[in-house]
Amino acid sequence: MTEYELIRAIAGRFARSPGQRNGLFESDAELVEIGGLLWALTLDEFSAEEDLLPADDPEQLGWNLAVATLSDLLAVGARPQFFMQVLSLPQRVGRDFAEGIADGVRSALDEAGCALCGGDIGVAETWRF
């Protein structure tokens, strides 16, 4: 089953919100009317196995992860305001690796004028974001 077939199969089982403004596959960010305002929301996942992003420079990795997510918002003309993340790291990586990823994410968010609002931290076999 391809990613598109999987999305169609799962999405077809749920009602769409009347506030949603874009259709399935129109963009990677959802446009939703909330309280008379149009919000752009996006959620992404990246992993070492699927995305093959090099992890030898954790700061560059953090930058790439944040920019890849922010670009979904920028593509629909939104101005990113808030960012939430889920970061899982192997126990074997040191504090320098975690801080490097954080520094890269922070640099990308600073550049976009966007604030980190929280998220979740976990432990996994390989990094996931």
Side-chain angles (χ1 to χ4, degrees):
M1 179 178 283
T2 69
E3 181 179 358
Y4 292 103
E5 291 167 335
L6 182 59
I7 291 169
R8 280 191 188 98
I10 292 172
R13 303 183 78 75
F14 294 90
R16 289 184 59 81
S17 166
Q20 284 180 273
R21 294 295 173 248
N22 52 337
L24 208 54
F25 304 113
E26 281 186 24
S27 70
D28 286 339
E30 288 294 330
L31 300 174
V32 182
E33 188 176 328
I34 302 172
L37 299 173
L38 191 60
W39 287 68
L41 308 168
T42 192
L43 177 69
D44 233 330
E45 180 185 30
F46 302 96
S47 67
E49 298 86 7
E50 186 175 338
D51 298 293
L52 305 176
L53 292 168
D56 55 323
D57 181 346
E59 188 168 346
Q60 185 65 53
L61 176 60
W63 170 272
N64 289 339
L65 294 167
V67 167
T69 303
L70 291 170
S71 67
D72 293 346
L73 298 170
L74 298 170
V76 296
R79 193 179 85 225
Q81 298 288 307
F82 310 106
F83 192 90
M84 297 186 78
Q85 67 182 10
V86 174
L87 175 63
S88 294
L89 295 175
Q91 285 183 328
R92 69 181 178 278
V93 301
R95 182 182 181 125
D96 290 346
F97 188 86
E99 289 176 347
I101 287 182
D103 288 344
V105 170
R106 187 202 65 240
S107 294
L109 297 184
D110 287 350
E111 188 76 24
C114 186
L116 178 67
C117 289
D120 194 26
I121 299 288
V123 176
E125 190 64 30
T126 60
W127 68 263
R128 297 188 74 78
F129 184 84

